[in-house]
Amino acid sequence: MTVEKMAEYLWGLPEQFASILEQGISLPVKYQHNYSNIVVTGLGGSAIGGDIIRTYALQKAQVPVIVNRDYDMPNFVNSDSLVLTVSYSGNTEETLSAYHHARTQGAAIIAVTSGGKLADIARQDGYGVVKIPGGLAPRAATGYLFAPLALIFEELGIVKGAKTDLKETVQVLKAIREGIHPGVDFPENQARVIAREMKDSLPIIWGSSARSETAAMRWKTQINENAKSPTYYNIFPELNHNEIVGFGMPKDLLARLVIIILRDPADHPQVKKRIEISKEIVRSHVKKIVEIQAQGESFLAKFYSLAYMGDYASFYLALEYGINPSPVETIDYLKAELAKA
Ligand code: PA5
């Protein structure tokens, strides 16, 4: 994929949600069940939709949702479990293995994929397959990967209002992109400004538990994959119980840290206080503190407003380093080596 293609994807994210909303999801009646738990299983760009739906469900659902990023299934998975196996390529070995475990343990399974072995096996086994458009990098297909999960949850009565929240997300992202697309230059373009701050630095992303945690994770993985750079994330209040102590040494490394705080107006009042105190603790040790405010009303719109800024900022960081954000040769190499074995 070229730089231009990645830019096209960034622009087209809202339309991914819109197209899945238009297409809709229709599930066989056998999936209507009073599930005792829901597992979303996948890896990397395909797993993060699981984290979004997990945190969304924390606000809205009566049933626990967990994300599984492994070859196996948790022991509790049984015929009262719904397992959503998500793999953009449909060929990720951990996800295929987890699928087999879910089947053996008797779970109801729905596959979300653009094709590959997962689509074939799930169809043969008589499970539901939600087919999404292929040909993108998984991280560039986040709308296609997430929106079906939200619609499945709504269709099964696990959450209410997902369609409305997705529609708001489309509107919020369309407004945001007007200010940060490649046609808008530095310094008017906030994503370009953040990319320049991150250049030659180590970005540390801070979110808050259950609100912006997944956005912080998405920032991290996008900086890793687009800008081929290291970065780490943590969440409030947990980071106040360990990481915050680590701003003593080594001074030269600390001076190259850029702290990026993802804020949600709905954060717990004590978390808001913790963020203010933490900023003062680290301010004199680090290069810069950047704060980004979530936009929109619904949890989904706020999540994607934060994540979208990170998608663009990591894209511009790659350009600052003079590299193509699109290929992930190291992931491809690992998959090829494992396939040989
Ligand atoms: O961004 C990537 O390419 C990876 O994180 C992939 O999403 C991950 O390797 C899993 O592949 P897939 O999404 O095809 O299941």
Side-chain angles (χ1 to χ4, degrees):
M1 202 197 279
T2 59
V3 175
E4 291 72 27
K5 275 275 161 213
M6 187 56 94
E8 246 175 60
Y9 138 68
L10 287 170
W11 179 263
L13 177 60
E15 281 74 18
Q16 291 188 14
F17 296 115
S19 87
I20 299 284
L21 274 166
E22 199 182 310
Q23 188 184 309
I25 296 276
S26 123
L27 292 173
V29 87
K30 69 175 178 181
Y31 284 103
Q32 296 292 343
H33 182 81
N34 195 12
Y35 296 108
S36 45
N37 51 70
I38 299 172
V39 178
V40 183
T41 195
L43 276 296
S46 290
I48 197 146
D51 286 294
I52 307 166
I53 202 77
R54 175 181 64 78
T55 41
Y56 186 54
L58 283 176
Q59 328 284 325
K60 292 199 157 219
Q62 299 293 325
V63 59
V65 178
I66 74 138
V67 182
N68 184 59
R69 289 180 163 87
D70 215 333
Y71 290 86
D72 304 322
M73 268 292 120
N75 194 43
F76 62 73
V77 167
N78 60 24
S79 56
D80 285 327
S81 305
L82 173 66
V83 175
L84 304 173
T85 52
V86 187
S87 170
Y88 188 65
S89 63
N91 293 321
T92 298
E93 65 170 35
E94 298 95 316
T95 312
L96 291 170
S97 166
Y99 169 92
H100 288 296
H101 282 277
R103 188 183 57 184
T104 308
Q105 288 169 231
I109 299 175
I110 301 172
V112 178
T113 180
S114 71
K117 289 180 197 154
L118 181 60
D120 292 342
I121 301 167
R123 271 199 205 102
Q124 274 163 27
D125 291 343
Y127 294 121
V129 176
V130 178
K131 185 95 165 33
I132 54 174
L136 297 171
R139 67 189 186 286
T142 174
Y144 291 138
L145 285 161
F146 173 71
L149 305 186
L151 296 190
I152 290 168
F153 271 50
E154 182 152 42
E155 174 96 5
L156 296 179
I158 297 159
V159 299
K160 287 198 180 83
K163 282 195 201 100
T164 310
D165 292 352
L166 284 172
K167 283 180 194 156
E168 192 214 354
T169 304
V170 171
Q171 294 317 316
V172 167
L173 296 191
K174 280 185 175 174
I176 290 175
R177 73 183 175 185
E178 290 301 330
I180 58 173
H181 69 84
V184 183
D185 280 334
F186 183 91
E188 286 73 30
N189 186 327
Q190 193 191 357
R192 284 190 195 272
V193 172
I194 298 169
R196 278 212 193 157
E197 296 289 1
M198 293 195 292
K199 190 180 179 202
D200 298 326
S201 305
L202 178 62
I204 301 289
I205 321 297
W206 284 349
S208 66
S209 168
R211 305 284 336 170
S212 51
E213 172 176 2
T214 308
M217 183 196 291
R218 171 77 178 177
W219 267 72
K220 178 206 180 300
T221 58
Q222 287 291 76
I223 293 169
N224 292 149
E225 293 187 50
N226 287 342
K228 283 67 176 166
S229 304
T231 171
Y232 299 92
Y233 82 94
N234 208 337
I235 48 170
F236 288 98
E238 175 64 18
L239 74 87
N240 276 175
H241 299 271
N242 34 64
E243 182 166 321
I244 199 68
V245 187
F247 285 81
M249 301 298 275
K251 305 253 179 249
D252 53 342
L253 174 64
L254 292 171
R256 293 181 70 174
L257 301 190
V258 171
I259 308 288
I260 297 173
I261 307 176
L262 307 182
R263 306 200 63 161
D264 183 327
D267 278 333
H268 192 287
Q270 289 300 103
V271 164
K272 289 182 181 165
K273 284 187 205 157
R274 286 176 178 279
I275 291 174
E276 293 311 318
I277 300 166
S278 301
K279 276 162 38 185
E280 291 325 306
I281 293 171
V282 304
R283 190 181 299 283
S284 62
H285 303 287
V286 302
K287 181 179 161 195
K288 181 92 185 172
I289 299 173
V290 175
E291 292 182 69
I292 300 161
Q293 292 288 347
Q295 296 178 41
E297 295 298 323
S298 65
F299 176 85
L300 288 185
K302 285 193 281 190
F303 163 77
Y304 272 105
S305 74
L306 293 170
Y308 207 30
M309 185 62 73
D311 286 4
Y312 267 105
S314 59
F315 170 81
Y316 293 128
L317 181 58
L319 302 190
E320 288 283 339
Y321 285 132
I323 54 178
N324 181 350
S326 304
V328 282
E329 282 159 12
T330 316
I331 297 176
D332 298 339
Y333 166 77
L334 265 160
K335 286 184 177 176
E337 286 300 299
L338 280 154
K340 276 187 214 162

